[in-house]
Amino acid sequence: RSLSRAQRVALVEPQAPDISLRRQCQLLGISRSSMYYQRKALGAYDLELMRLIDAEHLRTPVYGSRRMSAHLNRQGYAVNRKRVQRLMREMGLQAIYPKPCTSRPGVGHRIYPYLLRGRVIDRPNQVWATDITYIPLARGFMYLVAIMDWHSRRVLAWRVSNTLDTDFCIDALEEALARYGKPEIFNTDQGCQFTSQAFTEVLEAHDVRISMDGKGCYQDNIFVERLWRSVKYECVYLKAFESGAHLRRDLKCYFAWYNTERPHQGLDDATPDE
């Protein structure tokens, strides 16, 4: 039950000799039509709108679909709210504002309390944080997850994926744990990737305390939000990445530079590695 629909579809073996396709779908709780569905590629116009929405969301994260639609209309794009809602949902973007019943957990997912309010963070491996962001390509898009040490601002591990599944987040987490040990606290938002049993089990197996932002609390994970602004304005928006391989190659160079050479005002102009 902790697996997404796409992950369950991937478990089906159409040529399995001992169990029919119908029975496999019944056991996994998916419809047979899921086996034949092929996602329709987004058109060039939608991709252009997504690029504009992404850039504006960095500047004004309080914009929901209504105000984002008005912004695009003022830029000369005749687009209605329903289309903007669909694209923002595809990108994993939500307006930042207080929402009611924010302490109510999602179905089947445990929500952990926010542990960082008022806490002095003064050493590496005290607190790590993570988040996912949308990355536009020349002909499509991907998602980037990064794990950051809050004290040093160092990017410890990262992965890109063409879907918002949980696996690429777990891969990044396991790499960070293998290379740098474990933090005392790990902070995330309440996205389904981070509240999933598969993700939280990795942290619990390492005796890491789990902290989660309140819904709509933009400031709760502010250092990762600032990282996304830096990544996009200093790398992504300067180039039209042709493919996932091109994106990975340049992000590898960017994060190496970010950790070893880029000075940070919040660190008195030192680099994360320093």
Side-chain angles (χ1 to χ4, degrees), residues 4-142:
S4 68
R5 186 186 65 83
Q7 289 172 321
R8 283 178 282 156
V9 168
L11 292 174
V12 175
E13 297 183 23
Q15 306 301 323
D18 301 326
I19 184 170
S20 68
L21 183 61
R22 181 192 297 272
R23 182 57 178 156
Q24 290 184 67
C25 291
Q26 287 175 343
L27 292 172
L28 290 168
I30 57 177
S31 65
R32 287 182 64 191
S33 62
S34 300
M35 297 302 304
Y36 310 110
Y37 171 76
Q38 291 188 349
R39 181 176 173 179
K40 184 179 178 181
L42 291 169
Y45 186 64
D46 277 349
L47 293 174
E48 173 67 9
L49 291 175
M50 291 169 78
R51 186 188 65 79
L52 294 168
I53 290 170
D54 179 53
E56 185 60 27
H57 183 75
L58 278 179
R59 288 191 292 268
T60 53
V62 296
Y63 277 13
S65 58
R66 283 189 180 89
R67 283 203 267 180
M68 192 65 75
S69 302
H71 166 74
L72 292 172
N73 290 333
R74 290 172 64 88
Q75 301 300 312
Y77 293 86
V79 58
N80 61 31
R81 184 190 173 204
K82 285 187 177 180
R83 190 173 203 166
V84 172
Q85 282 180 315
R86 174 174 60 82
L87 295 178
M88 290 183 71
R89 188 164 54 244
E90 185 81 34
M91 299 164 71
L93 296 182
Q94 283 187 319
I96 305 300
Y97 65 94
K99 300 179 178 71
C101 301
T102 57
S103 61
R104 185 178 298 167
V107 177
H109 291 158
R110 179 180 174 187
I111 305 300
Y112 295 78
Y114 185 65
L115 303 178
L116 305 184
R117 188 165 291 110
R119 184 179 295 270
V120 176
I121 301 170
D122 55 7
R123 59 190 182 278
N125 278 11
Q126 182 181 4
V127 175
W128 290 1
T130 190
D131 199 3
I132 300 171
T133 193
Y134 157 91
I135 300 291
L137 305 179
R139 297 180 183 83
F141 60 93
M142 298 191 79

Side-chain angles (χ1 to χ4, degrees), residues 161-175:
S161 172
N162 58 5
T163 62
L164 276 171
D165 60 17
T166 303
D167 292 344
F168 81 121
C169 301
I170 294 174
D171 287 347
L173 173 60
E174 290 178 339
E175 179 189 333

Side-chain angles (χ1 to χ4, degrees), residues 247-259:
L247 173 66
R248 290 184 182 92
R249 184 174 66 248
D250 279 40
L251 284 178
K252 181 178 181 180
C253 294
Y254 175 81
F255 284 128
W257 171 77
Y258 182 93
N259 285 333

Side-chain angles (χ1 to χ4, degrees), residues 193-206:
Q193 297 82 6
F194 307 128
T195 60
S196 68
Q197 183 178 355
F199 190 89
T200 55
E201 278 181 349
V202 176
L203 294 169
E204 290 169 346
H206 287 80

Side-chain angles (χ1 to χ4, degrees), residues 210-230:
I210 301 172
S211 168
M212 290 188 177
D213 308 340
K215 283 191 176 179
C217 296
Y218 180 77
Q219 296 290 328
D220 285 356
N221 210 2
I222 190 64
F223 295 135
V224 182
E225 298 293 344
R226 288 175 179 170
L227 172 66
W228 296 154
R229 177 179 289 270
S230 299

